[in-house]
Amino acid sequence: MSQLRTRQNVYKLGSAWADPILWYARGVQKLKERPLADRTSWTFYGGIHGIFRALWDFYGITDPNEPGPSQADTVTFIDQCQHQSFFFLPWHRGYLMAIETLIRSEIEALGGPHESWALPYWNYFGDGQNALPPEFRSPDWPDGTGDNPLFVVQRWGPMGGAQPFDIGSRTNLDPMGDPVFTGPGGGVSTGFGGPATGFNWQGGSSGGLEMNPHNIVHGLVGGGSPTDTFSDGSPLPGLMSTPTAAALDPIFYLHHCNIDRLWQSWNVFPAGKPSAAPTDWQNPNNLDWLQGPARSGERRFVMPKPDGSEWVYTPTEMQKIDALGYEYDDLTPGAAVQGMDMAARRAVLGIAAAARGGPAVAASSSEMMGASDKGLALSGKGATRTTVRTDAAVRARVSNSLAGRAATAPDRVFLNLENITGLYDAVIFEVYVGLAADADDATRQAHLAGNVSLFGVRQASDMAGRHSGGGINATLEITGIVDKLHLAGNFNVDELSVEIVPMDEIPEAAQIRIGRISLYRQFE
Amino acid sequence: MRRTDPPRGREPGRVAAPLALLSVPAWLLLALGSGGIAVPELCSSALLWSVPSVEGLRYAFTFVAPQVLAMGWGLMVAAMMLPTLAGTLGYVRARSLGRLRGRLVALVICGYLAVWLAAGPVMLALALALHLAAPGGGQVFIAALAVALLWQVSPWKQAALNRCHRRPAIAAFAPEAYGDALRLGLGTGLWCLQSCWALMLASLLAPGWHFAAMAVVALFIWAERLEPPRPPAWRLRAPLRAWRLASFRLASVGR
C-alpha cells in the first residue's frame, strides 16, 4: 500500500505553488505545446471529453487552419464523455487516470517527482476553499512570468476567481445520502450514480452526484461572457460551462478528482455505515454496467497512453482505486449530507410503525402524477411561473401513503423538467414548488426544490445528436416539500405552482425552453 | 455474487406486448400465406411483363385482387415496421398517466400504421408498374436495389433516421394527450416512411425468396435504427452497433 500515490487537497498542500500543483502546471504546459491532432496534446485530451471546434477557434485555443484529430482518432477517442448515465463516474475515473499518467510521464521527462505525483483535488465545500485555488487565478507563474498554463480567461462564473462564493446557496452533497447507485429513472430517482443507459454523450437525466455538485460547479466556475456573443449570435459560455470545452480548463481535472473522491467516499466512508439492503453503497453488479457500453455494441471507453497507444477500460476495472494505484488524503465529503431517514420521515408524517416498508429508497415503481399543459421559454432576469396539473386518482394514492393509510412506506415525489433545450449551457436556476407569488424569504426557502445547471444542454439539443435534439431532463426530489404541503392540507389540489428563478439574466438568444414539467411518485 | 439487473422491471415486456401481438401473427401469416394472401406472391408472377397500362393492371388484378394486395401490404407493414416503434411506445408509456396509457399507445400505433397504409397504394402501384414495364423481374429488382443503396447513403435518409429518434414533449391530460399521441404516431410514421421506402420497395420487387427478403430487410431496418443519430451527409453507413453487439455476445458465450 505504501506505493499508492495520494491525491491531496489543493488547499492543503502547505503553500501556494507547492510541488503537486507546480508539477501539474509544468506538465500541462508541455501538453499545451503539442498540436490538436497529437493524441497526447492538451487539446486532444479536451476533445476526448467533448469538442466544439468553432468555439475553440473563436476563443483562439485552436487555429482554424490547424488540422483536427484524424478520422480514425475521432471515431475512437473524441466526444466520449459520459453524462446523464450510470457510466458518468467510471468513465471519468478512467479519464482522470489517463491524464494523470500522461502528466506523470511529462514530469518524469522533466526530471520531476513522477513516482509520487498525483492530481490534487478541489473540495469547494471545505472551509475557506470556496474560491478558485490561487494558482489558477493569475496569468503569471510564481516568478512573475506570464504564461501560467493553469490560467484561463474564459472563467466568468462567481466561483471563477478569487472571490469566495456561498456554494451552499446553489448546491449540496445530499446525493451522498442516497445509498442506491442506479435509481429507476424515468421521472423518479436516478440514484447516486445515474440512470442505466448505453453510451451516452449528452442528453437525458443526470444522476444525483452528477447534478449536485458536479453540474452546478461547472456552471459556477465557467459562467458566461458578460459582453460578447458567439459567431452564431448565441451567448458565450465559459470553458467549464460546456462539456465541449470544459476539459480545456486545467481546473476541470481538480473538480473531477473531487467528484471521484466523493464516489470513493460514498462507497466506503465512514466504514461500516448503516445499510438497509445488501446493495446499499455498492456499485452496480449487473453486466450492462460492469462491461460498459461495448456490451451493447456501442463505443468502448478508450484513452491514449503516453506513447499514443490505446488503453481500453471498463467500469469493472474502475471500482477499486487502490488497485488503480492511488488514494485520497481525506474522504470526508466536506459538507453536511441530508440523507433520507425513513424513521424520521414517518415521525414527521405521524405514520405509525405498523405501516410496513423499508427505506423509501428501496421503492422502485413509478407513476406520473401530473404535468404542465404547455412548455415554457426561459429568458430575462425575473421569475417564470407556471402550474402543474395533477391527476386526482394518483394524487389520492400519494395522499393515502402520506397519511399512513397504505400498507407501504410513504411515497417519494419528484418534479421533472423535461426536454430542456437551448444554445447556452451556462444557465443555473432555482426551482420552487407550491409557492405563493407573494411568499416571504423564509417560506421561499422551504419550497426550494433545488438548483438546475444546464451543463450539456446545447449538445443535447442538436438534432443530429444522440437523442435527436430531445435535450436534457432535470429530476428534483420534492418529497420533503410535498410532506409539508400534505401536513398543511395544501397538497390535495388540482394544480401545483412551479416557479423558476435564474441566477443570472438568460439572454433571449439562448433559446432556453422546457418542453414539459411533470410530477412523478415513486412507490413500493 | 449474484448479478442484479438494472431496475427496469417488467416495463420492456409491457412495451413489446402490443407490438408483438400485431407483428408476430403478421409474420406467421406471411410465412404461411401462399397464392393470393401475400403481396410478394404477386411479384413472382412471371406473367406480368407487359408495359404498364390500365389493361395491364386489370390483367394483374385477375391474378391478385386489390383487396388481397392491400391485406398483404398491411401484413408487411405490421410485420416489418411495427417492431421499430418500441422506443416510441416506451417513451409514451413513461410520460403518460396510467389510466390513459393504453389509449395513447393505441393512438400512436394507429397514427403510425395510417401513414404506412396510406402509402400502400402508391408503393404497390409503383411496384406493379415497374413489374409491368419490365420483362421478368431481375432487372427491376436490381434497379430497385440500386435506388435503395443510393437512398441509404444520402443525407435525406440520415435526416429521416435522426427524426425517428425524436421524442417530443406530450400533454398529460385528455383530450390534448390524445392529439399529441396521434401526432407522434403520424410524425414517426412519416419519418419512418421517408427512411425506409426504398428498402420496402426493393423487398416488394424481389423476384423470389420473398419471405427471406422481407426478413432480411426487416432485420436491417431494425439494426440501423440502433445506430445513434449523426449529422446528415453522403456517407456509407452500416448497422455496426448490431454487428458489434452480436460479436460481443458471441464472444462472451465462447468464453
Side-chain angles (χ1 to χ4, degrees), chain A residues 302-316:
Chain A
V302 52
M303 298 291 159
K305 293 180 186 172
D307 64 3
S309 61
E310 294 179 7
W311 171 52
V312 178
Y313 64 97
T314 64
T316 301

Side-chain angles (χ1 to χ4, degrees), chain A residues 197-215:
Chain A
T197 69
F199 186 96
N200 203 60
W201 190 53
Q202 309 295 339
S205 302
S206 293
L209 189 69
E210 185 182 357
M211 198 164 173
N212 281 298
H214 167 264
N215 288 350

Side-chain angles (χ1 to χ4, degrees), chain A residues 362-411:
Chain A
S364 60
S365 298
S366 62
E367 181 179 25
M368 195 174 90
M369 192 163 77
S372 59
D373 286 335
K374 293 178 182 170
L376 71 159
L378 298 182
S379 66
K381 279 185 188 170
T384 303
R385 286 179 68 87
T386 188
T387 53
V388 176
R389 277 172 72 188
T390 58
D391 183 77
V394 183
R395 201 172 65 227
R397 287 196 275 279
V398 176
S399 291
N400 270 343
S401 88
L402 299 185
R405 289 192 288 270
T408 55
D411 293 354

Side-chain angles (χ1 to χ4, degrees), chain A residues 241-322:
Chain A
S241 296
T242 172
T244 51
L248 296 174
D249 185 337
I251 196 63
F252 171 96
Y253 295 101
L254 277 71
H255 170 37
H256 268 277
C257 273
N258 193 46
I259 298 298
D260 187 70
R261 184 183 73 91
L262 291 170
W263 179 19
Q264 178 66 7
S265 175
W266 180 85
N267 275 148
V268 303
F269 182 88
K273 58 183 166 181
S275 58
T279 52
D280 282 0
W281 319 112
Q282 303 294 313
N283 301 329
N285 73 347
N286 61 78
L287 295 176
D288 286 348
W289 187 82
L290 291 167
Q291 297 183 343
R295 175 177 162 78
S296 49
E298 299 189 276
R299 286 178 66 177
R300 305 166 303 169
F301 297 161
V302 52
M303 298 291 159
K305 293 180 186 172
D307 64 3
S309 61
E310 294 179 7
W311 171 52
V312 178
Y313 64 97
T314 64
T316 301
E317 297 147 10
M318 294 298 106
Q319 299 198 81
K320 307 263 185 223
I321 65 169
D322 52 353

Side-chain angles (χ1 to χ4, degrees), chain B residues 4 30 75 88 97 100 129 139 202 209 212 226 230-231 240 244:
Chain B
T4 55
L30 286 172
L75 289 176
T88 306
L97 291 167
L100 299 182
Q139 287 172 334
W209 295 88
L226 295 180
R230 300 175 68 179
L240 295 176
R244 287 194 299 261

Side-chain angles (χ1 to χ4, degrees), chain A residues 285-286 296-297 391 468 516 520, chain B residues 2 4 94 99 162 170 241:
Chain A
N285 73 347
N286 61 78
S296 49
D391 183 77
S468 198
R516 190 178 82 163
Y520 280 75
Chain B
R2 183 175 161 269
T4 55
R99 62 184 169 82
N162 291 353
I170 54 173
R241 184 185 168 193

